[in-house]
Amino acid sequence: MKVKVFANFREICQAKTVEVPMESGDRVIDILESLIQMYPALEEEIFTPERTFKPFVHVFINGRNVIHANGLETRVQEDDQFALFPPVAGG
């Protein structure tokens, strides 16, 4: 599955898009866990110790924020557009 990453996540992954295997499952949490195995520095950027999203971290599947679906349990398909956004400061 192709995962688009943005801002400082892009710096950690050294790419705009990362190919993540779906062997461990088809939920958002499974994809993120696989991504963290590939790029361990992402873990503290994405998750709290309780394994919930840190504030203002967002995952969009096909343009829809997963918080409006089943959150980390949202199912994904291989051809879905998966986008991972970090907190963004600005003003």
Side-chain angles (χ1 to χ4, degrees):
M1 154 157 281
K2 285 187 165 73
V3 175
K4 291 182 181 179
V5 291
F6 296 87
N8 63 319
F9 293 163
R10 208 173 259 183
E11 293 172 26
I12 292 169
C13 298
Q14 296 292 295
K16 294 179 181 180
T17 304
V18 178
E19 189 67 41
V20 179
M22 291 185 68
E23 293 120 26
S24 59
D26 65 350
R27 301 169 304 160
V28 169
I29 185 73
D30 301 323
I31 303 302
L32 293 176
E33 293 289 2
S34 293
L35 187 63
I36 287 167
Q37 284 184 342
M38 297 165 65
Y39 302 98
L42 287 173
E43 184 165 13
E44 66 183 35
E45 301 292 327
I46 296 172
F47 288 122
T48 66
E50 296 79 29
R51 245 2 188 204
T52 60
F53 284 129
K54 283 198 163 179
F56 307 108
V57 171
H58 295 286
V59 170
F60 287 81
I61 304 297
N62 299 325
R64 184 175 162 86
N65 194 324
V66 297
I67 64 169
H68 301 298
N70 291 321
L72 290 168
E73 297 297 318
T74 302
R75 300 269 178 207
V76 292
Q77 304 289 324
E78 181 74 39
D79 59 347
D80 284 344
Q81 289 185 345
F82 190 118
L84 176 61
F85 292 90
V88 178

